Amino acid sequence: MTRPMSGPTVELESDKCVASGQCVVAAMQVFDQDDDGIAILLDERPAPALLDDVREAVAVCPAAAIRLVER
Amino acid sequence: MADTLTGPVPEVPDAIPEFPMPRAARCPLDPPPALRDLQERAPLTKVRLRDGSEPWLVTRYADQRALLGDPRVSADTDSPGYPSKAGPEGGEGKLSFIMMDDPEHARLRRMVTAPFAVKRVEALRPAVQRIVDDLIDGLLAGPAPVDLVEEFALPVPSLVICELLGVPYDDHAFFQDNTRTMVHRDATPEQRGRAAREVAGYLSALIGRRIADPREDLLSGIAARVTAGEIDHGQATEMALLLLIAGHETTANMIALGTLALLRHPDQLALLRESDDPGLVTSAVEELLRYLHITHLGRRRAVTEDIEIGGRLLRAGEGVIMVNEVANRDPEVFPDPDRLDLTRDARRHVAFGFGVHQCLGQPLARMELQVVYGTLYRRIPTLSLACSPDDVRFKHDAFIYGVHSLPVAW
Ligand code: HEM
Ligand code: SF4
């Protein structure tokens, strides 16, 4: 899978994160958790094939900490 | 039918309905019909509680998520207007951060998030599989029928929490005996109270030992916060107790009620047992969480600043109750919501709540249920109910919905 030069960008506000882990379950290739369980972004510009998973993560995040900015 | 019943439905019900509402006798796995009715015609309405107070009841999925995600609601039971859960089981104890607001809630919650990270929980899967297999070995070696609640559903989360907290193996029997009494249907309030104090005393002492001699477990993590001066020993004990209590009856009731639901839907049970798609167990767990919803008294909050939502004004000082079980049956989000369909995509359910208090233990709960649902019915394919379906007693009055006992044979 090649990494797109443009396309939607994922934004994560980690200070809002409550460590539910939902984003990791929804999109394992895009999100992980740090040593305290707080979400970290692995890939700001995910390949198109991953975007549905990212949208699911946005929908299930209980803290509204994730956004997918379509450009 | 009389004209008055078929005419236009009034937007607001005439009288203030009582909450909680009864489930239909024939449909103990469905939300109360009155809740579905309100969801359709008065999704934001006042209800009357046993103590006479009149909080708002929010029944639609979108409204519930919006309110649970809103910082203008408080989970603190001391906030003016907080809808009391006190009922036949007595008052509600305040336990650590579940009944606090940010920033203190966030500060304390973050101290214990690490072990619930998805990958850390995944590392516990073999241990949980062993616990489940050992318990099933025990069932198969003994006589049938047995009470699945007593012999399987309650021991699973109790042993898993021992594993997670780092309770030494030699103390498992003590721990299991007392946690069992804490939630036992036949225990008197005094017996439950004594068992809870025993467990609290035990956890407090164990935290003391971990302060002196830290290991790689969750209690050592909490102990380190005491050493660092971030919390005191009492707060640490409360936190450990919250983790124990929040994950015990909830998971147990999902196991027993989930089994009953599957026995009542043999086609779905067969699908789960016979499918070789590993994704099916995962989606079955989400669907059963959506379908059953055991925390039936609702997420409760107090409004701290006026909020406008759905054409209504919720005023500061009013209470608000979000019954997630009826949101999980909202047809706007889940087509044909009353059908149990293990293959549907149910991931957006709110069985773990929503907002900053969303269940901290959910990765663990999911993994435990995946192991249980993925193992029990395969290892005991002839599992069946050993009493008449009419004799199953449901916990209508309990904080957590479920069955008192589930006699099964094979
Ligand atoms: C299937 C099993 C479970 C269900 C259905 C469930 C459900 C819930 C719900 C609905 C809440 C939100 C409460 C609120 O918003 O007022 C919650 C919170 C919580 N749960 Fe669970 N839970 C389960 C298992 C567990 C387990 C296994 C643990 C830990 C071992 C756990 C620990 C917690 C904690 C600590 C909170 C408080 C979070 C906070 O206030 O920030 N739960 N749970
Ligand atoms: S879903 Fe949201 S709250 Fe949960 S871990 Fe991811 S960013 Fe944090």
Side-chain angles (χ1 to χ4, degrees):
Chain A
M1 239 183 289
T2 51
R3 197 181 151 90
M5 298 300 285
S6 61
T9 321
V10 186
E11 289 178 3
L12 173 71
E13 289 175 82
S14 52
D15 56 327
K16 283 191 182 173
C17 173
V18 297
S20 71
Q22 298 251 53
C23 55
V24 183
V25 176
M28 190 80 83
Q29 282 130 299
V30 181
F31 301 97
D32 200 351
Q33 287 167 289
D34 70 11
D35 287 345
D36 290 328
I38 302 303
I40 44 180
L41 199 52
L42 299 176
D43 187 355
E44 268 180 27
R45 284 263 173 80
L50 296 174
L51 290 180
D52 275 348
D53 289 351
V54 175
R55 287 190 190 99
E56 187 61 27
V58 172
V60 293
C61 173
I66 309 167
R67 285 196 306 160
L68 186 64
V69 186
E70 319 257 358
R71 275 186 240 270
Chain B
M1 208 181 272
D3 275 348
T4 45
L5 287 178
T6 50
V9 219
E11 221 220 278
V12 183
D14 318 323
I16 293 190
E18 307 265 333
F19 183 86
M21 289 123 177
R23 301 200 188 216
R26 306 294 319 162
C27 311
L29 300 182
D30 288 333
L35 275 182
R36 296 297 298 280
D37 189 44
L38 287 176
Q39 183 177 61
E40 212 177 299
R41 56 195 194 96
L44 268 152
T45 193
K46 291 257 178 126
V47 287
R48 187 173 297 117
L49 304 188
R50 282 188 261 242
D51 66 359
S53 62
E54 292 178 0
W56 292 96
L57 183 75
V58 185
T59 38
R60 283 195 186 153
Y61 179 90
D63 293 340
Q64 287 193 4
R65 295 220 320 179
L67 281 167
L68 285 168
D70 195 313
R72 293 169 296 178
V73 302
S74 164
D76 184 343
T77 47
D78 289 335
S79 294
Y82 185 92
S84 165
K85 263 189 213 153
E89 286 204 350
E92 53 212 323
K94 269 198 161 188
L95 202 54
S96 195
F97 54 84
I98 193 164
M99 283 160 185
M100 288 181 189
D101 295 326
D102 286 351
E104 185 63 0
H105 159 265
R107 185 181 84 91
L108 295 178
R109 175 169 167 137
R110 281 201 177 196
M111 291 182 189
V112 283
T113 44
F116 295 101
V118 174
K119 287 177 183 165
R120 290 275 301 271
V121 165
E122 215 33 58
L124 278 178
R125 190 183 286 265
V128 173
Q129 183 70 55
R130 188 164 10 87
I131 287 169
V132 167
D133 279 329
D134 288 351
L135 286 166
I136 296 174
D137 288 343
L139 291 181
L140 290 172
V146 294
D147 176 10
L148 193 79
V149 173
E150 189 93 359
E151 302 301 330
F152 184 73
L154 279 168
V156 169
S158 176
L159 291 168
V160 170
I161 205 78
C162 281
E163 196 73 40
L164 184 83
L165 291 172
V167 171
Y169 187 80
D170 286 348
D171 299 336
H172 280 196
F174 160 87
F175 199 81
Q176 249 196 293
D177 280 353
N178 280 293
T179 51
R180 183 185 303 223
T181 308
M182 280 165 71
V183 297
H184 201 281
R185 60 182 178 277
D186 297 328
T188 64
E190 290 73 33
Q191 286 169 327
R192 289 182 196 198
R194 197 178 326 120
R197 282 192 301 278
E198 287 276 334
V199 171
Y202 173 80
L203 289 172
S204 172
L206 195 52
I207 290 170
R209 274 155 62 194
R210 296 292 182 260
I211 290 174
D213 179 17
R215 305 209 181 156
E216 283 294 307
D217 50 39
L218 176 50
L219 280 189
S220 299
I222 297 179
R225 306 292 180 159
V226 180
T227 309
E230 295 171 28
I231 46 173
D232 64 27
H233 203 126
Q235 286 173 304
T237 306
E238 250 190 58
M239 234 187 239
L241 210 51
L242 169 61
L243 295 177
L244 162 70
I245 292 175
H248 194 205
E249 243 189 306
T250 43
T251 310
N253 287 2
M254 275 303 302
I255 294 173
L257 209 56
T259 299
L260 180 63
L262 289 166
L263 291 173
R264 290 169 77 125
H265 294 85
D267 57 320
Q268 297 293 303
L269 179 55
L271 186 68
L272 181 58
R273 196 170 39 216
E274 277 137 42
S275 165
D276 29 271
D277 171 10
L280 186 72
V281 174
T282 314
S283 80
V285 168
E286 301 310 315
E287 172 66 347
L288 283 161
L289 283 162
R290 178 194 76 83
Y291 182 78
L292 295 172
H293 195 85
I294 51 170
T295 59
H296 61 155
L297 292 183
R299 310 284 68 71
R300 299 186 176 211
R301 301 291 189 266
V303 180
T304 56
E305 277 175 57
D306 292 3
I307 300 174
E308 262 190 74
I309 182 165
R312 307 261 169 202
L313 180 66
L314 279 50
R315 289 181 197 280
E318 291 183 324
V320 48
I321 300 180
M322 277 78 45
V323 187
N324 296 149
E325 75 181 324
V326 65
N328 283 338
R329 304 280 185 114
D330 188 335
E332 300 254 332
V333 187
F334 303 103
D336 197 2
D338 297 328
R339 200 157 61 94
L340 178 69
D341 173 2
L342 303 185
T343 63
R344 84 159 79 214
D345 182 355
R347 286 178 295 174
R348 296 188 185 188
H349 68 72
V350 283
F352 291 118
F354 199 71
V356 297
H357 287 280
Q358 194 184 55
C359 183
L360 171 64
Q362 58 182 300
L364 180 64
R366 288 196 158 100
M367 187 269 278
E368 285 181 64
L369 294 175
Q370 287 163 9
V371 172
V372 167
Y373 297 152
T375 308
L376 181 61
Y377 320 118
R378 282 172 195 259
R379 288 206 50 202
I380 316 185
T382 54
L383 190 80
S384 61
L385 202 57
C387 69
S388 142
D390 292 338
D391 289 340
V392 177
R393 280 172 54 232
F394 292 87
K395 298 165 114 177
H396 291 290
D397 284 336
F399 281 14
I400 313 280
Y401 187 68
V403 288
H404 286 284
S405 63
L406 194 67
V408 292
W410 48 87

